[in-house]
Amino acid sequence: MSLEVPAVAPAPVSRRGRGTTLILVSSACFGSSGTIAKPTMLAGLSPQQVAAARIALAAVVLLLGIGILRPRLLRVRPAEWPLLLGYGLLGVAGVQLCYFVSVNRLPVGIAILLEFTSPVLIALWARFVRRVRLPRTMWLGITLAMLGLALVAQVWEGLSLDSVGFVAGLGGAVCSAAYFLIGEHGATTREPLGMVTWGMVVGAVAVCAISPPWTIPVALLDAPAAFGPWHPPVWVLVVAVALLSTALAYALGTTALRHLPAAVASVIGLLEPIVATATAWALLGEALSWVQLAGALVLLSGATVVQRVHSRQAGQAQPGVGQESPASAP
């Protein structure tokens, strides 16, 4: 699941180049999470165990790093705890659990595409809950995204995808939408990196309560996992998904948004499903059909339209105010 932080004022070209590089690396790190994690599940870990280990390790790294480098970001007023709890439970724990359950049952590329329908859910929330009138362009984006989803799921074959994996993927999209909406509200009063850190801590506590990491058999952690031509121990991949695809990805993404407008970063963030699909094909042998690949392009095109229109509307509504824009965080 990409990253959501406030946009800043337009940056000089040199700073934009730096921000673009950072967000590209961050998106690649986020996109690799499913491909890195799936071999650990095939080796015997449950999705809950992988999610617990990933979030717990990332929470420890972020908490220590922020505590040492920028401790003021960890200060929390009592009134902020409800928001941080919702952010951690839905935006961190919910997203990771649903995504890994989906990855365990579906190709990685399809699992992440299901999660990337979250911009459509946010637009529908704005229309039917907030009663915001949506422009025709956004409805076009929603239609494209739904058409792409139908192609990916191959609904004419009676939904050939695993039903539990499909529902979990859509659950990840719901939690991802909550992540963006709660984060949008919280970023008006808190530094994004501090909110991400506490959200990771809350998510770690919640997921570890469901599946304590210490219940994982040590022998299983030392077992080899099939990762392309390599067979590293399971624990190596668990650490990689926690540090590379979570802690580092969040840190780079947050830094990137200091140099790059969020509207630009949100589009670059669409690199994530491309990375996920490509790495799963290269390392796990998971290939999508031509129809599903076409559906992926249509879905991502629709999501891009929705994101861009949303960012433009937000900027017009609040000129000069930092605005959040989604870049997922699986």
Side-chain angles (χ1 to χ4, degrees):
M1 164 210 61
S2 161
L3 180 63
E4 178 183 347
V5 291
V8 294
V13 174
S14 61
R15 293 184 61 196
R16 285 202 176 198
R18 186 185 315 160
T20 299
T21 301
L22 290 173
I23 203 68
L24 282 171
V25 177
S26 174
S27 297
C29 289
F30 275 126
S32 67
S33 64
T35 302
I36 296 174
K38 189 158 188 174
T40 69
M41 297 181 231
L42 295 176
L45 292 182
S46 70
Q48 296 87 342
Q49 290 172 326
V50 178
R54 175 190 186 181
I55 298 173
L57 287 173
V60 170
V61 171
L62 287 172
L63 195 60
L64 289 176
I66 299 302
I68 294 171
L69 299 176
R70 302 181 68 185
R72 68 177 184 82
L73 299 185
L74 299 180
R75 297 171 188 166
V76 180
R77 296 189 301 270
E80 294 177 322
W81 277 114
L83 181 141
L84 292 176
L85 289 172
Y87 187 79
L89 292 175
L90 293 175
V92 176
V95 169
Q96 305 304 329
L97 278 173
C98 288
Y99 179 62
F100 282 149
V101 169
S102 186
V103 162
N104 191 44
R105 292 174 168 267
L106 299 175
V108 172
I110 291 179
I112 197 169
L113 284 170
L114 291 174
E115 187 175 310
F116 261 72
T117 59
S118 59
V120 172
L121 298 180
I122 295 171
L124 294 176
W125 171 275
R127 175 63 185 91
F128 295 107
V129 178
R130 293 180 175 175
R131 303 293 182 183
V132 176
R133 187 172 182 177
L134 303 182
R136 292 181 180 178
T137 308
M138 187 171 284
W139 283 114
L140 172 62
I142 292 173
T143 301
L144 284 174
M146 292 298 96
L147 174 61
L149 181 60
L151 291 172
V152 168
Q154 296 183 327
V155 293
W156 60 90
E157 294 183 1
L159 192 62
S160 59
L161 300 178
D162 179 272
S163 58
V164 174
F166 184 76
V167 171
L170 293 181
V174 172
C175 291
S176 180
Y179 164 81
F180 294 130
L181 292 169
I182 296 173
E184 181 181 23
H185 177 70
T188 60
T189 58
R190 288 196 60 86
E191 283 276 351
L193 195 53
M195 185 168 63
V196 166
T197 300
W198 279 118
M200 200 68 67
V201 171
V202 170
V205 172
V207 179
C208 288
I210 297 173
S211 181
W214 53 86
T215 61
I216 300 174
V218 176
L220 186 56
L221 292 176
D222 286 330
F227 188 63
W230 306 285
H231 292 81
V234 167
W235 69 265
V236 171
L237 296 181
V238 170
V239 171
V241 79
L243 301 186
L244 177 68
S245 301
T246 310
L248 179 63
Y250 273 108
L252 292 178
T254 301
T255 305
L257 268 295
R258 296 181 181 277
H259 309 289
L260 198 67
V264 176
S266 67
V267 176
I268 297 175
L270 294 174
L271 174 68
E272 292 176 37
I274 297 174
V275 169
T277 303
T279 56
W281 169 74
L283 297 172
L284 305 181
E286 294 183 349
L288 304 185
S289 68
W290 287 109
V291 172
Q292 290 173 320
L293 288 173
L297 291 176
V298 174
L299 191 158
L300 293 178
S301 297
T304 302
V305 171
V306 172
Q307 288 186 4
R308 294 302 296 270
V309 174
H310 173 76
S311 297
R312 186 168 60 249
Q313 280 189 321
Q316 293 172 349
Q318 294 182 307
V321 178
Q323 195 63 42
E324 300 203 22
S325 182
S328 106

